[in-house]
Amino acid sequence: MKQAFSILSLCVALAAPAAAESPFEVPVTGEVLPGWVMADGTRMSALRLTLAPGWKTYWRAPGDSGIPPQFDWSASRNLGAVSVNWPTPKVFDQNGMRSVGYDNTLVIPLHIHPKTDGTPVRLRARMDMGICADVCLPHTLEFDADISTEALTPTPAIAAALAARPYSAGEAGVQSAECIISPTSDGLAIEARIAMPSAGGAEYVVIEPGQGDIWVSEAETRRSGATVVATSEMVNINGGPIAIDRSAIRITVLGSKYAVDVKGCSAG
């Protein structure tokens, strides 16, 4: 845990001088894709990020060396709720550290629920994120767009990003998902056992606890026959006790062929 925090602190400490000396004027740019109206009156829109060559950004669970993205929608108008749909990320290995994220172009579909149906949504959003090339930098993108389209035909770029999401457990043929949890000196150890067909190649597992105050170490992943086994440690970042709700745990298996999103696990 201390190593993970020291890596993140180093990335942030390097941010100011690196930004001043960067040869790239803008390492990442963003825009809103207005999308289309769904059959139930909600809207499917998206944020499209374009990264300069050699730069990458992070998934919702970025790994020990990454900076997790954060969204602020509070300045929007007529926005009742918004859910973010993440396409399947890549696993990056750099300087002996792994991170999970994206390079080149990233389209993030947004399922938007207006407060008042049939009325345009003013989407004003702030995205705090991390971007990395030779060093990691905290960065902020701001979006401001009126989403008033009445189009019913899906936008190809958004539809492609939705299709690129991980499979659900049912779609991937997951037979069972168990989490064996045991106490450690400063937190908990978790062993996730997912009975499923191979996702291809050397599978990589990300475990999310479903609680914002819990740090989870990078999982050590192996396959035992028809089961993917991943072990991690969990620590309360505030130093307090940990109470884990297994139904809130989210396990993503990333393989060379496809990814699988497993929501919840039973006691082992």
Side-chain angles (χ1 to χ4, degrees):
M1 177 180 175
K2 291 180 180 177
Q3 181 183 12
F5 287 156
S6 65
I7 291 170
L8 181 56
S9 298
L10 176 60
C11 288
V12 174
L14 288 172
E21 299 172 5
S22 172
F24 300 101
E25 183 179 355
V26 182
V28 58
T29 58
E31 63 180 319
V32 176
L33 301 181
W36 68 96
V37 179
M38 308 281 282
D40 61 0
T42 61
R43 296 172 182 269
M44 187 61 69
S45 184
L47 305 178
R48 178 160 59 192
L49 278 56
T50 303
L51 292 134
W55 290 82
K56 64 179 182 288
T57 191
Y58 296 104
W59 186 48
R60 63 167 191 262
D64 283 353
S65 62
I67 302 172
Q70 301 289 333
F71 296 95
D72 181 358
W73 313 100
S74 60
S76 299
R77 298 177 190 168
N78 194 37
L79 181 63
V82 57
S83 56
V84 178
N85 297 270
W86 292 99
T88 297
K90 300 177 182 179
V91 179
F92 296 98
D93 289 286
Q94 185 174 9
N95 299 325
M97 296 182 293
R98 280 181 174 169
S99 61
V100 186
Y102 311 89
D103 55 10
N104 300 318
T105 300
L106 167 62
V107 175
I108 308 172
L110 306 175
H111 191 185
I112 293 173
H113 296 254
K115 285 184 178 179
T116 304
D117 290 340
T119 301
V121 173
R122 176 78 175 273
L123 188 69
R124 301 184 66 183
R126 174 188 172 105
M127 182 179 182
D128 293 319
M129 59 194 295
I131 54 175
C132 272
D134 296 327
V135 295
C136 299
L137 313 174
H139 190 78
T140 297
L141 285 175
E142 294 186 351
F143 302 87
D144 188 351
D146 285 316
I147 302 177
S148 56
T149 178
E150 297 301 324
L152 302 176
T153 303
T155 304
I158 302 176
L162 289 169
R165 290 176 297 177
Y167 291 145
S168 68
E171 291 170 334
V174 172
Q175 298 299 310
S176 63
E178 298 179 346
C179 292
I180 302 168
I181 297 175
S182 56
T184 64
S185 60
D186 55 358
L188 297 174
I190 179 171
E191 180 180 281
R193 302 182 63 86
I194 313 299
M196 56 171 279
S198 171
E203 294 156 315
Y204 180 78
V205 171
V206 179
I207 300 174
E208 299 171 78
Q211 298 170 240
D213 59 351
I214 296 178
W215 172 82
V216 182
S217 68
E218 179 180 336
E220 295 183 6
T221 307
R222 61 183 175 87
R223 178 166 276 276
S224 177
T227 302
V228 177
V229 181
T231 56
S232 290
E233 294 183 7
M234 296 183 175
V235 176
N236 188 321
I237 61 175
N238 299 313
I242 300 177
I244 293 296
D245 177 4
R246 284 182 172 84
S247 67
I249 291 174
R250 194 168 187 176
I251 303 166
T252 304
V253 182
L254 299 169
S256 61
K257 295 181 180 178
Y258 56 85
V260 184
D261 183 10
V262 181
K263 297 179 180 179
C265 53
S266 62

